[in-house]
Amino acid sequence: MAKVFRITGRVLGKEEPMVFTKECKALKEEDALEFIYSDIGSKHHVKRTMVKIEEIKEISEDEITDLILQKIVSM
């Protein structure tokens, strides 16, 4: 069964650090981290070493803020 994770972190290497919070659906923490590294890297053209993860935690369906993810989980 897939879980929903909320990941917060920073992207270094630009003029000023970019702070982000993303939610994703994954089977385990490692898969969620892989998704975040891939997503941030492709959108902002930074290497994985420039993405610093500060917190990763599993959240319940009630805590999801991403509307698309809410629809997917409720199906």
Side-chain angles (χ1 to χ4, degrees), residues 33-68:
L33 282 173
E34 182 65 28
F35 172 78
I36 292 300
Y37 284 135
S38 174
D39 188 49
I40 297 286
S42 67
K43 287 183 180 173
H44 298 284
H45 305 287
V46 294
K47 296 186 178 198
R48 292 170 182 245
T49 56
M50 300 303 236
V51 178
K52 301 298 179 193
I53 304 299
E54 295 173 351
E55 181 182 25
I56 179 169
K57 67 177 184 175
E58 185 178 342
I59 60 174
S60 66
E61 288 184 27
D62 300 336
E63 296 177 284
I64 299 173
T65 57
D66 184 4
L67 296 177
I68 295 172

Side-chain angles (χ1 to χ4, degrees), residues 12-47:
L12 307 174
K14 301 289 181 178
E15 292 78 35
E16 56 186 67
M18 180 184 77
V19 178
F20 67 88
T21 300
K22 290 209 171 254
E23 297 172 348
C24 69
K25 184 176 173 183
L27 293 176
K28 51 188 177 178
E29 267 189 33
E30 293 83 18
D31 296 339
L33 282 173
E34 182 65 28
F35 172 78
I36 292 300
Y37 284 135
S38 174
D39 188 49
I40 297 286
S42 67
K43 287 183 180 173
H44 298 284
H45 305 287
V46 294
K47 296 186 178 198

